[in-house]
Amino acid sequence: MTTRRAVPTQDEVLGYFSALSNWGRWGEDDERGTLNHITDAVRLAAARAVRHGRSVSCAWEVAVPEDMERSTTSCPCAADMPGAEHMPAAFHADRRWGFSHERLGLLFHGNTITHVDSPCHLFWDGAMYNGRPHSLVDATTGSAWAAVTAAADGIVTRGVLLDVARVRDVPWLEPGQGVFPEDLEEAERRQGVRVRPGDAVLLRTGHGCARHGGTGSGGIEQAGWHASCLPWLRQREVALIGADTPQDVQPSGYDDVLMPVHAVGLVAMGLWLLDNCDLERCARTAAELAQWDFHLSLAPVRFAGTSGSPVNPIATF
């Protein structure tokens, strides 16, 4: 594409914190941010996007033990386990059943695990979404504001895959290449789909293709959303964005705003983010069926006070 792009200046991006703010839009006590765009009518419309009955995961498998700490206990006979002496007699009589269980620990924020960011994940000048102070996040109890439990009922909406790598006719965008509003609208035009209020927009840069092939960048540079997409996302009233990278193009191009999509999105807009998706099967299915919208469901784990959760997004065509 040879379209001349209107790239905002750093001052304009910093102005997004005010110009695109949703503080107070859904009330002073609102913690859900852009999830408020997902109304009952939007969920019903999402159900109508199921036209083939085919479901596809948009998550990476979590490698164990590489991506997490793991301790597995195996007990061939439950009656022999420590503490069994305190169990009722019937427990000791049944000596045929055993069990295994795990203790798992993981750091899901980062560039590897598919996860959702809730608004309390980022601060700007010490403030969180809707003007709450960062002091509401406590090292012991977690966040008392805009935690992932604000999405305890799940995120169920219409998903739209915008395959910008396909639009640019490349297997993947190179690290440092940004995606602009013109790319999004060109993807809409070619794919015959339009982003509507309440939608979740999933951006394919092709990074998953490189990652599957073992050639993905392990450094901080990555393709992703350019800051110029933020006004477009607010105008379209998008509920959630996802990408096959951790969202922001890196470098961002702005000395004083390292991650403008994260910072403006989470803090000012209350825009929920779905990081590190694997969109390769989703893209192949969409191309095969010639259908670029689908029913999208996410069920974050109800971890009290956390700034996000590992998730397995399911696209159903």
Side-chain angles (χ1 to χ4, degrees):
M1 297 176 63
T2 58
T3 304
R4 178 170 294 180
R5 308 188 187 284
V7 179
T9 65
Q10 180 169 276
D11 286 344
E12 288 173 323
V13 171
L14 290 170
Y16 289 168
F17 283 98
S18 298
L20 305 182
S21 174
N22 284 321
W23 290 12
R25 180 174 180 176
W26 296 287
E28 296 302 319
D29 294 326
D30 175 61
E31 301 177 64
R32 288 172 49 80
T34 55
L35 296 187
N36 285 288
H37 290 311
I38 305 176
T39 63
D40 292 347
V42 167
R43 293 188 191 93
L44 286 171
R48 291 192 288 271
V50 179
R51 300 191 281 276
H52 299 273
R54 190 181 305 181
S55 288
V56 175
S57 169
C58 297
W60 288 95
E61 184 173 288
V62 181
V64 180
E66 288 85 355
D67 293 334
M68 65 165 57
E69 297 176 1
R70 175 175 186 153
S71 175
T72 296
T73 298
S74 177
C75 184
C77 181
D80 294 336
M81 71 180 183
E85 63 272 17
H86 304 299
M87 300 297 288
F91 185 90
H92 295 273
D94 184 352
R95 299 192 57 81
R96 301 188 67 177
W97 71 280
F99 64 87
S100 66
H101 65 77
E102 289 79 26
R103 181 182 183 276
L104 304 175
L106 75 162
L107 178 64
F108 55 84
H109 288 299
N111 295 14
T112 304
I113 295 173
T114 307
H115 65 275
V116 66
D117 291 343
S118 65
C120 73
H121 178 47
L122 230 68
F123 317 140
W124 187 260
D125 288 336
M128 294 187 284
Y129 170 66
N130 232 352
R132 293 306 197 274
H134 72 91
S135 57
L136 289 177
V137 179
D138 179 81
T140 302
T141 59
S143 182
W145 181 256
V148 77
T149 45
D153 293 330
I155 302 173
V156 178
T157 190
R158 176 178 177 255
V160 175
L161 177 65
L162 297 182
D163 192 342
V164 172
R166 181 185 176 95
V167 166
R168 294 191 186 177
D169 196 27
V170 294
W172 57 76
L173 305 188
E174 296 296 334
Q177 289 186 317
V179 172
F180 295 80
E182 296 89 348
D183 295 308
L184 307 179
E185 293 180 0
E186 180 66 8
E188 285 184 315
R189 187 186 68 79
R190 293 197 189 187
Q191 296 172 189
V193 69
R194 182 174 174 82
V195 173
R196 303 191 305 233
D199 282 349
V201 180
L202 305 185
L203 170 65
R204 179 179 177 268
T205 71
H207 176 68
C209 180
R211 183 170 165 182
H212 277 292
T215 59
S217 171
I220 193 171
E221 290 194 1
Q222 65 192 31
W225 302 91
H226 188 270
S228 58
C229 291
L230 289 163
W232 190 93
L233 294 167
R234 191 181 191 279
Q235 181 183 24
R236 294 294 187 94
E237 297 189 334
V238 168
L240 173 145
I241 62 170
D244 50 12
T245 66
Q247 313 296 347
D248 289 83
V249 62
Q250 290 294 328
S252 70
Y254 302 101
D255 292 339
D256 296 337
V257 199
L258 175 65
M259 298 185 296
V261 173
H262 267 75
V264 175
L266 289 167
V267 179
M269 298 169 63
L271 176 64
W272 292 62
L273 308 179
L274 179 58
D275 293 351
N276 308 320
C277 294
D278 181 1
L279 298 175
E280 295 309 295
R281 284 184 61 214
C282 187
R284 289 194 300 269
T285 302
E288 176 191 342
L289 301 177
Q291 179 185 332
W292 297 89
D293 66 336
F294 39 82
H295 179 278
L296 183 70
S297 59
L298 290 80
V301 181
R302 296 179 69 172
F303 291 131
T306 64
S307 57
S309 167
V311 288
N312 180 19
I314 303 296
T316 303
F317 291 83

